[in-house]
Amino acid sequence: RTDLRMTITVTSLAARNGGEEILVTVRLSDGEHEELRRFALTTAQYAELKPQKGEITEAQFDALEEAAEIGSAIRKGSGILAFGANSKRTLVQKLRRRGFDAERATAAAEDLAEHKCLDESADARREAELCLKKLWGRRRILEHLRARGYGREALADVAELLDGVDFGEQCRRLTEKRFPEKPDTPKERQKRFAALTRYG
């Protein structure tokens, strides 16, 4: 038969995970066959899409499906962040390695940043403070953060933090720690200089 019309109906809405998610159950039917689909939305997605029980359009169904995919990426991204700081770029890369496409991984990273679950500037400052404890120099710290994917704004915040650091004192402490004895030869001095340069 060619006169069967597909109907798409929201059959139930249920909060779960302490109200952090809304599970939307949708029934697809052509009159002869039925299929149930379930979409877990974040509360923000639910507030934006406002799904209600009853028949919906194909476009509304597609929006629910897309939101649920992004919601899944947000939950995975939140789990990744629970294990340690990440820049947006690094988080997107990790989500892509876990099977999410670039668009959804980016949307998830943006959402997590918007809701302060991912704070690049704060994370970059913490990372810079760890580098300072290792007696790294300004150049090496900024290169390290750039390589980890931190953006321009986060790097500018770190640069401001580093403006208040006495790197001459950092260098003195590093020299005492790494080279307690004075160099005996020009070759030894050159070797020491190269080692200190690598610390930035």
Side-chain angles (χ1 to χ4, degrees), residues 8 10 22 24 26 28 37-42 44-52 56-72 74 103-104 107:
I8 310 171
V10 173
I22 308 297
V24 183
V26 178
L28 296 91
R37 299 283 300 276
R38 292 180 176 84
F39 303 115
L41 307 183
T42 66
Q45 290 172 328
Y46 175 75
E48 181 182 345
L49 295 175
K50 299 180 177 64
Q52 296 181 349
I56 61 173
T57 66
E58 190 172 334
Q60 289 172 312
F61 175 83
D62 291 343
L64 286 173
E65 190 171 44
E66 177 68 11
E69 284 290 334
I70 293 172
S72 178
I74 290 169
E103 188 176 342
R104 287 164 180 164

Side-chain angles (χ1 to χ4, degrees), residues 44 49 63 98 100 103 126 132 149 151 171 173-174 180-181 185:
L49 295 175
R98 285 160 173 77
F100 296 99
E103 188 176 342
R126 279 194 293 272
L132 287 170
C171 186
R173 289 172 57 202
L174 177 62
E181 304 295 330
T185 64

Side-chain angles (χ1 to χ4, degrees), residues 179-198:
F179 308 105
E181 304 295 330
K182 288 188 176 181
D184 295 327
T185 64
K187 184 176 180 181
E188 185 62 32
R189 280 195 294 273
Q190 184 62 34
K191 185 178 175 183
R192 185 174 298 190
F193 178 77
L196 291 173
T197 301
R198 285 195 292 275

